Amino acid sequence: IAMRRQKGFTLIELLIVVAIIGIIAAIAIPNLLNAINRSRQKRTMADIRTIGTAAEAYAVDWSFYPNNNDTDEAITATWGTLIAPIYVKKVPDADGWRYPIYVRSQSRFYTVASAARDKVFETSLGSTTYSRPPTTDMDCDILYSNGTFMSYPEGVLTD
């Protein structure tokens, strides 16, 4: 009686394949998470720039920026009805991490900001401590004031 050779993979072969897939996943997942956070940051910066452009257009027509009496408030609470739908079709109300975008303004100055990934502002939007050197920290606040980004993470980002 002749024995037939069974076809299939041995346990060792399967374990080797699973180990290789695990090594590839361990390398790829941190890069994927960094790319996701980086895309959220870029989307937030684009939304904030859009809000700033709408504020500038508002100021051209009215000779002053939309005013919220120099207090930190969510964008929809104050500017939402002032700049939409005339200067921007829909005001972006949340950043890439689904946290509200905040604004602080007077007649001649405005600041639009996101608390970024950690969802905690480093200080009040009216503070002058935001003028600091560039950082690679993903939790850095994204701050846009009078047409310029004052604070945002740049370069190779760290967690």
Side-chain angles (χ1 to χ4, degrees), residues 47-138:
D47 286 349
I48 287 174
R49 185 177 290 118
T50 298
I51 294 167
T53 302
E56 298 293 338
Y58 180 97
V60 167
D61 288 349
W62 294 93
S63 300
F64 57 86
Y65 293 115
N67 195 348
N68 76 343
N69 299 320
D70 208 23
T71 57
D72 297 356
E73 294 180 321
I75 189 84
T76 53
T78 56
W79 282 23
T81 57
L82 296 174
I83 62 175
I86 296 168
Y87 302 102
V88 63
K89 187 171 187 169
K90 182 183 179 303
V91 176
D93 57 349
D95 62 13
W97 296 271
R98 297 186 188 101
Y99 187 73
I101 294 175
Y102 279 82
V103 65
R104 182 183 188 114
S105 63
Q106 300 175 30
S107 62
R108 294 180 50 217
F109 305 99
Y110 72 90
T111 301
V112 182
S114 162
R117 186 180 67 177
D118 66 353
K119 300 179 181 172
V120 176
F121 280 105
E122 296 169 19
T123 184
S124 166
L125 302 184
S127 175
T128 58
T129 60
Y130 274 98
S131 54
R132 58 184 159 94
T135 180
T136 58
D137 183 11
M138 184 65 76

Side-chain angles (χ1 to χ4, degrees), residues 133-151:
T135 180
T136 58
D137 183 11
M138 184 65 76
D139 294 333
C140 169
D141 294 348
I142 300 171
L143 202 85
Y144 188 83
S145 184
N146 289 16
T148 305
F149 279 102
M150 303 300 289
S151 172

